[in-house]
Amino acid sequence: MRPDGLPAPLAQLRRTVVMGVLNVTPDSFSDGGRYQDVSAAVAHGRDLHAQGADIVDVGGESTRPGAQRVPVGEELDRVLPVVSGLVEAGVPVSVDTMRAETALAAVAAGACLVNDVSGGLADPDMHAAVARLGVPYVAMHWRGHSDRMDDLATYDDVVVDVIGELRDRAEAAMAAGIPQRHIVLDPGLGFAKEADHNWALLKRLPNLAAQGFPLLIGASRKRFLGSLLADDDGVDRPVDERDRATDAVTAVAAAMGVWAVRVHDVAGSSDAVRVAEAWRRGSAHG
């Protein structure tokens, strides 16, 4: 399954899409501070595209655990020049934002998809704005902002609960005028989730897919991978040494038919997608 409303090069893909992460923030958990300069950010986005990113996801507000929100004006100042620069370079761009104002401005600047980690809960105007824009919309499972989400990781059955809450988000989006065929769901790995919650959701991806929406999976370099790969002293694997584990998640997710993976290590995940597609087809040729 894939969403409608994508540019032709993305709409024609018959494999899992690789979404490259580009955080233009000082405090994101993996690459915060590296790409605050517009020229450096655009250059990195172009490099991600050259490495195999089908779409580059530009975000101007960190959602790492404990992160504080930034004013909308600051988010716009960070995001818009980078979106414009990448679009001018021919790179497909999505915008990672919880704000309707930023979504509207980024799409006006050429972004072709809105990736909302709050699923519309952070801004009551988001769904109506996206409905007017007519672009695909990713609604992630979310229970609260980064400074309090770790306190919200309580579930009766994490898979049942996440599916129910995502379905509520999808229904709210459709009620606001977003067509069902434009909606992508993301289970929100690492957001108000303990490590075993994430693994349970990954194991039961078919249950999520059975809801009838394309899926996006964002496992890249997250804490549950670091804790899985902890050393003998119980020290988590460092963030920048989690890419091989991320690539493994990409391969399995792609083999299970998810629409997209959102990753930092684009080259590794692009290779993993190619392997997964050949495995699914039983052939190296499409």
Side-chain angles (χ1 to χ4, degrees), residues 23-40:
N23 292 314
V24 287
T25 62
D27 57 345
S28 292
F29 82 96
S30 177
D31 54 0
R34 295 185 184 180
Y35 309 113
Q36 288 181 267
D37 178 76
V38 172
S39 60

Side-chain angles (χ1 to χ4, degrees), residues 102-232:
T102 304
L104 289 166
V107 173
C112 63
L113 179 148
V114 175
N115 180 18
D116 177 5
V117 300
S118 80
L121 289 170
D123 186 341
D125 296 327
M126 177 64 92
H127 289 161
V130 175
R132 295 198 303 274
L133 292 170
V135 298
Y137 175 67
V138 178
M140 195 191 80
H141 178 261
W142 185 86
R143 285 184 163 183
H145 288 291
S146 298
D147 59 352
R148 57 188 292 264
M149 67 179 178
D150 285 348
D151 298 327
L152 304 173
T154 302
Y155 302 90
D156 292 326
D157 180 315
V158 66
V159 177
V160 172
D161 293 351
V162 167
I163 286 173
E165 291 169 33
L166 278 175
R167 186 75 205 188
D168 289 344
R169 292 292 84 219
E171 290 175 357
M174 290 186 287
I178 302 176
Q180 178 173 345
R181 64 184 184 276
H182 281 191
I183 297 172
V184 177
L185 299 183
D186 176 349
L189 302 179
F191 287 78
K193 314 283 190 310
E194 296 176 356
D196 282 350
H197 294 146
N198 299 310
W199 293 116
L201 288 162
L202 287 170
K203 179 180 180 180
R204 291 169 65 184
L205 280 180
N207 299 66
L208 290 159
Q211 305 311 303
F213 297 89
L215 297 179
L216 183 148
I217 297 298
S220 187
R221 298 179 178 173
K222 288 189 174 176
R223 284 184 299 175
F224 75 102
L225 297 178
S227 62
L228 175 73
L229 303 172
D231 64 21
D232 292 341

